[in-house]
Amino acid sequence: MATQTITNITFNNGVTIPQLGFGTLNVPADRTPSDENTAKTAEIVGLALELGYRHIDTAQMYGNELGVGRGIAASGIPREHLFVTSKLGNGNHRPDDVRRAFDETLQKLGLDYLDLFLMHWPVPTLYGGDYVSTWKAMTDLLAGGRLRSVGVSNFQPGHLKRIIDETGITPVVNQIEVHPGFNNDAARHASVSRGIAVEAWSPLGQGKLLDDTAIGELAARKRRTAAQVILRWHIQHGHIVFPKTMHPKRMQENLNLFDFELSPAEVAAMDALDKGEAGRIGPNPNTFDWIPSHEHII
Ligand SMILES: NC(=O)c1ccc[n+]([C@@H]2O[C@H](COP(=O)([O-])OP(=O)(O)OC[C@H]3O[C@@H](n4cnc5c(N)ncnc54)[C@H](OP(=O)(O)O)[C@@H]3O)[C@@H](O)[C@H]2O)c1
């Protein structure tokens, strides 16, 4: 089974995470938490687990925690063999809401504990710019025995510096947009230099990089697919990745990354595809303030 070959990354608190997981943003595409969508999410997550994925990435804002939890429960895989991440929604940043929303997350996932809980976005334009109290409330959850690790997502260098300076507590992870079109060097280096592991979201550039000519040529030379060489580039950079796909064949393809290597020159050639800020696909963390309608509204 492919899980045996997936490498682990060790966080700054000693907890380990499989370097490759399964992403669930837009599983399914319509994120309304309807019965039909919950069943579809459970089915897709169940397929991923059957194929060997043991690390699942979800979020309150994806509206699919119930389905993820049902897929996990139906798999019968012992809890200690799984690594499950969820993220605090943008509407839940007040300390009381952090505690309430974390309880809801565990309830929806049907789990006694979560492996990793992330602040999804700093939303510095909301809550009077106070993401520090939110971070403190999240780190307080560690004492309850229901959370193993706490981290952040979409934190720019200044956001990281501020929470660490003001609380003395360093996140284990910063989950940020990274792919060959957008190396996100400043946020990556600010994380790594502080001992914070980098999780690369949209590792395939949401599929947009799969048609890139240079990547296609490299993939052909390696007798691999474009998705595999991109994901291998992430693995060799030490990023934790969790590509999303609804298709079992692609799930399998994305698992098969541990029996080939890119040379240093091949990695460097992919590094050179970086377009800087112009390559960013997702929102800018300095201004993003979206709160989905199914969440508690501030
Ligand atoms: N923290 C954050 O703010 C944040 C933001 C975005 C994402 N994330 C996390 O990161 C995960 C991954 O990012 P993402 O879902 O945005 O994008 P992604 O994984 O980079 O790309 C997903 C897209 O690529 C396609 N795809 C996947 N594998 C493929 C393959 N082998 N061949 C061809 N096409 C393939 C999928 O299509 P099909 O489904 O049709 O196969 C889908 O359209 C998310 O699911 C989520 O867990 C976090």
Side-chain angles (χ1 to χ4, degrees), residues 32-265:
T32 316
S34 64
D35 289 350
E36 194 188 343
N37 283 346
T38 296
K40 187 69 185 165
T41 305
E43 180 197 326
I44 296 292
V45 167
L47 280 169
L49 292 171
E50 205 177 305
L51 287 172
Y53 288 89
R54 291 293 178 269
H55 159 193
I56 307 289
D57 185 88
T58 182
Q60 292 170 357
M61 295 205 292
Y62 299 171
N64 64 8
E65 288 173 311
L66 202 55
V68 169
R70 291 199 185 152
I72 288 172
S75 77
I77 297 169
R79 175 68 184 91
E80 63 274 20
H81 293 177
L82 296 172
F83 191 103
V84 184
T85 300
S86 193
K87 314 184 193 84
L88 181 79
N90 289 348
N92 296 326
H93 273 222
R94 291 204 175 90
D96 279 352
D97 288 333
V98 169
R99 293 182 275 275
R100 174 194 55 76
F102 178 72
D103 288 348
E104 269 178 34
T105 277
L106 283 185
Q107 204 178 11
K108 284 183 182 161
L109 288 169
L111 299 177
D112 296 334
Y113 68 90
L114 199 62
D115 296 283
L116 178 60
F117 194 43
L118 305 178
M119 194 187 316
H120 204 148
W121 293 87
V123 289
T125 59
L126 300 179
Y127 306 101
D130 179 15
Y131 46 84
V132 180
S133 305
T134 311
W135 173 240
K136 181 72 180 56
M138 291 182 71
T139 61
D140 287 346
L141 295 170
L142 291 168
R146 297 184 304 155
L147 178 62
R148 296 177 72 212
S149 301
V150 64
V152 295
S153 177
N154 297 299
F155 268 46
Q156 302 283 66
H159 303 138
L160 282 179
K161 182 175 181 330
R162 186 169 159 207
I163 55 165
I164 296 167
D165 284 354
E166 294 188 26
T167 68
I169 304 169
T170 303
V172 298
V173 148
N174 190 14
Q175 184 179 125
I176 49 178
E177 179 179 347
V178 184
H179 43 75
F182 180 56
N183 285 357
N184 207 348
D185 274 338
R188 256 190 330 153
H189 292 147
S191 306
V192 172
S193 65
R194 294 173 185 275
I196 301 168
V198 170
E199 293 194 334
W201 63 251
S202 296
L204 301 171
Q206 297 189 342
K208 294 182 179 71
L209 293 168
L210 298 172
D211 297 329
D212 181 276
T213 311
I215 292 174
E217 285 169 7
L218 174 60
R221 277 201 306 282
K222 304 295 283 185
R223 296 175 190 274
R224 295 285 168 162
T225 66
Q228 286 172 326
V229 295
I230 295 171
L231 293 171
R232 183 69 209 177
W233 173 85
H234 283 287
I235 296 290
Q236 289 184 216
H237 271 301
H239 306 155
I240 298 157
V241 282
F242 22 84
K244 167 263 174 186
T245 175
M246 302 283 277
H247 300 97
K249 218 174 136 216
R250 292 175 176 177
M251 288 178 196
Q252 184 62 61
E253 179 184 324
N254 296 348
L255 275 171
N256 296 341
L257 308 178
F258 299 92
D259 58 349
F260 77 106
E261 275 190 17
L262 301 175
S263 69

